[in-house]
Amino acid sequence: MTFRKILTPHIAEDDCHTLNFYQSNGGYSQAKISLKEQQPDDLIELVKAANLRGRGGAGFPTGVKWSFVPKSSDKPKYLVVNADESEPGTFKDRVIMEKNPHLLLEGILICCKAVNIQTAYIYIRGEFVFAAQRLQQAIDEAYDAGILGNDCLGSGLSVDVTVHRGAGAYICGEETGMLTSLEGDRGQPKLKPPFPAIEGVFGCPTVVNNVETLANLPYILEIGAEAYCAIGPEKSPGPKLFCVSGHVENPGTFELPMGIPLRTLIDEHAGGVWKGRKLKAVIPGGSSAHVLTAEECDVAMDIESLTAAGTMLGSAGVIVMDDSTCMVDALVNLMRFYHHESCGQCTPCREGTGWLEKIVHRIAHGDGRMEDLELVLDVCDRMVGKTICALADAAAFPAQSFVTKFQDDFVAAIQNGGSPAWKKRHPSAVGGAATHG
Ligand SMILES: Cc1cc2nc3c(=O)[nH]c(=O)nc-3n(C[C@H](O)[C@H](O)[C@H](O)COP(=O)(O)O)c2cc1C
Ligand code: SF4
């Protein structure tokens, strides 16, 4: 089957975000069929059979997640769309919300029918002002046209959708942190279980799905599970948005089949490594993923292949680094981010992210010692798997892989009085001259 773009097909058109444009290209026809004619259980089975895997980072099977929501509960059920998109290197959900917001709304309607939900919230990161405006415009259009609200699309069902803007915290992308924030409290993650499907927002069963996950639903209904599974690898198929940033000639968001070779993505779609330089490293799945060396880049961009390569597809944020990159400086940057974004509830994360930033910072700034390399790995061991949410792991994975795979850069910075960039900025400094907190 030839691949055609489903999530971002007409994004060059000026009016691609409008209801008129969406409907004139067949939009809402699948929601109409599912709301009027299909049974919730059949929809869940269809999504299970299509092997749709969550696009938010963990790759959990979407249909399986929906089936956890108790049917017998007399509490209201909610859908909360994760539009926080704060993982460094990730800019795919924003494209859908700005350019194709009705596709997300159609996916929301299908999910609501499958799980018997009448209220959906879209939790969008605060910085996405334009995307939030575009979403609100689309929601207003959909209410006016009888697509949302009471008697959606003449089906007798009602679905209300509300946009909720966050306040710019990475941790509010973690699902339980997001739900707590939506309730009006500080966005701090909670221990699971209970999982949101059983006890989520306002203590009620809640489906949490990523924007891109939901945007896949109309297409699954259109072509069926078997044809969907034929797009890319069977265990994690479908169209996929890959975000390529860093040292490439043509950075951007590319819609391609799941499983595209990483080198094809970089060389053919993103224009190759810039300025004629050589590839040094790639983070394939957002900054929380283990980094790959150039030699490890012959890998397919799908969940199983990247897991087998010791990293992850994550949010599909592909960050490319050329051979001029100092991995010590790059890691300081990442560690500063995770330290800043830790919510501080768990000691291994609150203290560990602080220590990682401090140690890598001193290596970069001329105060490093050889024992620091072991110390970084030791701190990481005390973080991974020992906290309420996965932010601690997300900080430890790049630290572990940068230090192990690019040890030469770290040793050079320790032996030569700091990273090349730091020494350039401080030519008269000798190792030990740097001050830092
Ligand atoms: C620290 C952290 C940040 C996260 N940020 C996001 C995010 O910005 N967007 C997102 O969809 N999922 C994010 N997730 C994953 C969510 O917790 C959740 O798994 C996801 O929204 C589920 O949707 P899906 O099954 O459709 O992928 C994050 C997880 C962690 C641990
Ligand atoms: S792991 Fe970090 S971010 Fe997650 S709950 Fe614990 S302290 Fe907060």
Side-chain angles (χ1 to χ4, degrees), residues 54-56 65 82 84-86 173-175 208-210 213 390:
R55 307 301 203 230
K65 183 188 280 190
N82 195 338
D84 196 62
E85 189 153 81
S86 302
E174 193 284 334
E175 57 187 8
V208 178
N209 272 138
N210 170 262
T213 310

Side-chain angles (χ1 to χ4, degrees), residues 28 31 34-35 77-81 104-122 139 142-144 146-162:
Y28 286 112
S34 67
L35 263 59
K77 302 179 183 84
Y78 293 98
L79 166 63
V80 180
V81 181
L104 172 60
L105 296 182
E106 186 168 8
I108 288 174
L109 283 171
I110 293 166
C111 172
C112 287
K113 167 74 187 215
V115 193
N116 194 13
I117 292 171
Q118 297 187 345
T119 308
Y121 294 97
I122 304 175
I139 289 170
Y143 270 103
D144 288 346
I147 294 167
L148 293 177
N150 295 324
D151 193 22
C152 301
L153 293 159
S155 65
L157 301 174
S158 65
V159 175
D160 286 306
V161 180
T162 303

Side-chain angles (χ1 to χ4, degrees), residues 171 188-189 341-346 349-350 387-392:
I171 197 55
Q188 288 187 323
E341 297 298 334
S342 167
C343 85
Q345 286 187 97
C346 319
C349 177
R350 183 185 63 245
T387 52
I388 294 173
C389 87
L391 186 142

Side-chain angles (χ1 to χ4, degrees), residues 43 57 114 124 153 230 255-256 310 347-348 371 413:
L43 283 169
I124 184 167
L153 293 159
E255 181 172 350
L256 294 160
T347 308
E371 312 87 86

Side-chain angles (χ1 to χ4, degrees), residues 126-204:
E127 295 92 330
F128 282 178
V129 177
F130 183 56
Q133 285 168 351
R134 277 273 162 98
L135 271 179
Q136 193 55 56
Q137 271 171 19
I139 289 170
D140 293 345
E141 283 181 311
Y143 270 103
D144 288 346
I147 294 167
L148 293 177
N150 295 324
D151 193 22
C152 301
L153 293 159
S155 65
L157 301 174
S158 65
V159 175
D160 286 306
V161 180
T162 303
V163 176
H164 181 97
R165 292 184 57 205
Y170 172 63
I171 197 55
C172 289
E174 193 284 334
E175 57 187 8
T176 58
M178 185 178 63
L179 299 181
T180 314
S181 166
L182 186 59
E183 289 169 347
D185 285 335
R186 184 184 291 189
Q188 288 187 323
K190 289 181 181 160
L191 268 179
K192 294 181 272 193
F195 288 92
I198 309 296
E199 195 179 312
V201 74
F202 313 124
C204 298

Side-chain angles (χ1 to χ4, degrees), residues 249-316:
E249 294 287 355
N250 177 33
T253 309
F254 302 95
E255 181 172 350
L256 294 160
M258 191 77 99
I260 185 107
L262 175 55
R263 285 201 194 271
T264 308
L265 178 63
I266 295 173
D267 293 339
E268 290 176 22
H269 297 276
V273 179
W274 70 358
K275 302 178 183 176
R277 292 191 189 143
K278 287 204 179 99
L279 184 64
K280 179 163 182 175
V282 177
I283 298 175
S287 64
S288 309
H290 287 278
V291 68
L292 296 170
T293 63
E295 296 70 36
E296 292 171 325
C297 284
D298 290 309
V299 62
M301 292 295 289
D302 62 73
I303 296 174
E304 277 71 30
S305 304
L306 284 161
T307 306
T311 181
M312 62 180 182
L313 179 66
S315 62

Side-chain angles (χ1 to χ4, degrees), residues 376-406:
V376 166
L377 299 178
D378 187 39
V379 172
C380 291
D381 278 349
R382 291 162 200 271
M383 295 167 71
V384 174
K386 298 182 176 67
T387 52
I388 294 173
C389 87
L391 186 142
D393 301 19
F397 291 161
Q400 287 172 327
S401 52
F402 272 58
V403 166
T404 325
K405 295 185 183 183
F406 296 94

